[in-house]
């Protein structure tokens, strides 16, 4: 399932162009950080915010997680759907803006936010929404770039 967005958004178009160009052949291997931190967790429901081309969401689904994955770019999500299909797994893919979209409250055992690239004020909003999606006793995994990057 995917939610389609209509209209012109310069930021969305910029990301679509990046995923169609320089990121078109992005790695399909999961983040080593994700693997190291999550491999021993019991499976459950997972939310992957800013999932890009889906490498981490697909890895989680391969391990039995029920995954919802969200990204801003329809081009990235197209690649993610293809990766999931070729891997034989099912993921709920949502085309949403991590700043504007509110995930279901306290609904996920694991919420990942890896390398979300937003200005500080918008990043705080997105992270607050991610925190709200974690079930009591669940795990929030955040990994970002150095501020100089």
């Amino acid at each position: 399932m995917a939610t389609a967005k209509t209209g012109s958004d310069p930021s969305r178009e910029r990301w679509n162009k990046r995923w169609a160009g320089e990121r078109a052949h992005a790695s399909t291997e999961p983040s080593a950080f994700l693997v190291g931190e999550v491999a021993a967790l019991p499976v459950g429901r997972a939310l992957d915010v800013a999932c890009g081309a889906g490498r981490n969401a697909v890895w989680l689904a391969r391990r039995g997680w029920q995954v919802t994955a969200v990204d801003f770019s329809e081009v990235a999500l197209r690649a993610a759907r293809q990766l999931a299909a070729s891997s034989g797994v099912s993921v709920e893919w949502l085309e949403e803006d991590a700043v504007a979209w509110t995930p279901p409250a306290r609904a996920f055992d694991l919420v990942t936010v890896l390398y979300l690239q937003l200005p500080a004020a918008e990043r705080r909003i997105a992270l607050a929404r991610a925190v709200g999606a974690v079930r009591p006793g669940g795990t929030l995994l955040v990994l970002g770039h150095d501020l100089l990057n």
Side-chain angles (χ1 to χ4, degrees), residues 50-143:
C51 68
R55 66 190 182 128
N56 296 318
V58 167
W59 182 83
L60 288 165
R62 282 183 186 147
R63 271 132 197 88
W65 289 85
Q66 180 185 345
V67 183
T68 299
V70 179
D71 200 88
F72 195 51
S73 169
E74 66 190 67
V75 175
L77 289 173
R78 190 173 358 188
R81 284 187 203 93
Q82 290 172 350
L83 179 60
S86 69
S87 299
V89 297
S90 177
V91 174
E92 179 183 21
W93 303 106
L94 300 177
E95 183 183 331
E96 297 288 352
D97 179 339
V99 177
W101 179 69
T102 302
R106 303 171 72 152
F108 298 93
D109 302 293
L110 170 66
V111 176
T112 65
V113 186
L114 278 61
Y115 302 113
L116 178 62
Q117 298 180 28
L118 290 172
E122 292 178 357
R123 189 173 55 249
R124 280 191 290 276
I125 294 167
L127 290 175
R129 291 173 191 248
V131 167
V134 180
R135 280 193 178 132
T139 300
L140 173 66
L141 184 63
V142 178
L143 178 62

